[in-house]
Each structure stands twice: as C-alpha cells, then as structure tokens.
Amino acid sequence: MSERITRPSPWGPLAVADAHLHFFSHHFFSTLVSQKPGLTLEAAGEHLGWALPPQAPEKLAEAWVHELDRNGVFASALIASVPGDEGSVTAATQAFPDRFFAYAMVNPRALTAGLPATFSKVHVACLFPAMHGYSIQDDCTRPVFEWAQAHRRAVFVHCGVLSVGVRKKLGLPSPFDMRFSNPVDVHAIALRYPEVPIIVPHFGAGYFREALMLADQCSNVHLDTSSSNQWMRYQAGHLTLREVFRHALEVAGPKRLLFGTDSSFFPRGWHQAIFEDQAKALYEIGTSEADARAIFGENLLRILAA
Ligand SMILES: [Zn+2]
C-alpha cells in the first residue's frame, strides 16, 4: 500500500481502510436479475435508483478508486457478494493492487474438490451459513479453512441477522435459516485453525454477547464494526454505539476491531456517515490515536497484507 491518503477525524488526519464494502459487479447484478422472471437490468436499476455497474469490473473498480480518493480512504475490501463472482473482485484488485483486498462469497456445499483456482488471488473467503443452509461446524467448510491456512488468507463468517437489502427491494425471496448464525458455532473451527484470521461482521449482528464470548476464547477472531448496526435494537435496554465500542474494546481489544462501512452501490457511494458516527463514538469514550489508527486501518493491513 504505497499511497496513504488520509481523511479528517477527531484525532487529526487518519489513514482509513474500509474492511467491509460490497462490490456490486455487473455479474452480481445480472445474477440477481436472472432470479426473477421478466426482470431486466435496466428495470432493476431504475426501480432501485442505482447506477448500473459497467460490464468490466476494472471500470467499476475505477469508480470506487475515485470515490475513495474523494473521501480520503486509502484502501478497502471489495466483497464479491454472490458465489462465483470472485473473478470480478480479483480483476479489480489486480487493476489496483494498492487499494483493494478481494473478498469473495463461497458456498462450501457446492464445492466438489476444495476452492477453485479462481480463488488464488482472493484474500478473504466469505461464508454465509444461514444463507446457504449449513453449519459452520459441518465438514463442508473444512476446505475453506484449509485453503486459508495454506495460503495465509482469512475467512469471513457472517453470523446473526442476515438481510440482503437489494434482494428485498427487488422482491426476491430470501430463504435463509437463522439456526446457522450463532457465533458460538464458530468456536471449535476457530480453535482448530488458530493461525487463520476469522472475521465476524457487524459485531455478530445481534449476537453481540456470543461474538464477544467467541473473541475472548479465540485470539484469531476479529469483529468488523460495519453498517449502521441496526441489531442494537434487539438488545434489552438501550445500547448505544459508544457502549458497543467500550464493551468490544474491553473484551477483544483494539487490535481485533476492523472498521467497515458496508458501502455497496452508486450513486450513494462510500458511506461517510458510518465513519463519522463510529469515529465520534470512539473518540468520546477516550480511544487513543494509536488505537484509532489500528481500528481504522492498520489491523486490516496486518491480517491481510502478510
Ligand atoms: Zn455487508
């Protein structure tokens, strides 16, 4: 990562990397559209009010580079958000290797012999057990962890409440199964692969206590802070973002929190308000500049740029 642009923050200019940004590629969009008979790309784009992604992933990557530059963000994850779309994010990371990390969704139940060669340039394999109907403890996930261990890569495990906004808006069914979403289920596999960094997004998305229990037991577990964290409304009593951060810092510490926004589409682009809210909350609870640098970028680089 040669270029370290910064953005203003309560601590002064801060080098920011976003650990959670969806790359809604042309392939991703076409895949969703094909799931609804009669729907066209143009009609879907119009209905959503989104700019349709260019056909070439490099072009969409260029748009994100421009957007990150505009916001003073020096690097970000790019998440391929349907299985089989890793080619889009690896094309993007190859075009801009200093700016992006390739994350790619995989359905381990559909694998026949380990991860395909198309994963050779992927940094993080993303598992969504509730979406694809398997337990993270199932043997089908082993090849993913074996791949991560062999190539020093990370595994992202979505836990908690899963709602894919774009599916809802397009009227696509989301036959997910929340039984497979408890972070406690990650315990045994995290212990079995202690060198594989595991990322649980959105502080466990409703399973905050369980995500903290997991992080406390497994030093390879990291929590991403992304999204507006609507799961806080499931919590008994009134939980604020400040309290979430204070608690997460107490248990997981500053080296295992990864700032993320959950940005995804244009014209909205990079979700600046998420940064502002999280930076404010962390500053107000007295987070040091060193810890802020870790949470907002250095931790991601440490676990992925090895
Ligand atoms: Zn997301």
Side-chain angles (χ1 to χ4, degrees), residues 48-169:
L48 295 166
W50 294 5
L52 282 179
Q55 193 112 26
E58 294 85 352
K59 285 273 169 220
L60 181 60
E62 215 174 288
W64 273 114
V65 167
H66 182 73
E67 179 67 4
L68 297 184
D69 282 347
R70 208 172 62 79
N71 284 282
V73 177
F74 78 94
S76 94
L78 293 180
I79 308 175
S81 308
V82 284
D85 194 29
E86 57 273 14
S88 297
V89 286
T90 53
T93 51
Q94 276 179 288
F96 300 98
D98 289 346
R99 304 303 294 274
F100 298 127
F101 295 107
Y103 285 41
M105 186 191 282
V106 58
N107 176 3
R109 289 178 74 192
L111 293 177
T112 45
L115 283 175
T118 45
F119 267 72
S120 65
K121 299 268 190 288
V122 169
H123 298 92
V124 183
C126 301
L127 299 175
F128 286 72
M131 180 183 286
H132 294 126
Y134 62 88
S135 165
I136 194 73
Q137 301 180 6
D138 194 282
D139 281 348
C140 72
T141 69
R142 288 296 197 95
V144 177
F145 287 90
E146 291 292 333
W147 164 87
Q149 181 167 265
H151 304 284
R152 302 172 59 88
R153 303 295 161 86
V155 179
F156 168 112
V157 184
H158 194 285
C159 299
V161 167
L162 174 63
S163 99
V164 182
V166 59
R167 296 192 68 87
K168 261 192 204 158
K169 287 180 199 149

Side-chain angles (χ1 to χ4, degrees), residues 20-22 79 81 128 156 158 201-202 224 226-227 262-263:
H20 194 130
L21 188 152
H22 292 271
I79 308 175
S81 308
F128 286 72
F156 168 112
H158 194 285
H202 323 302
D224 102 18
S226 71
S227 86
D262 215 2
S263 299

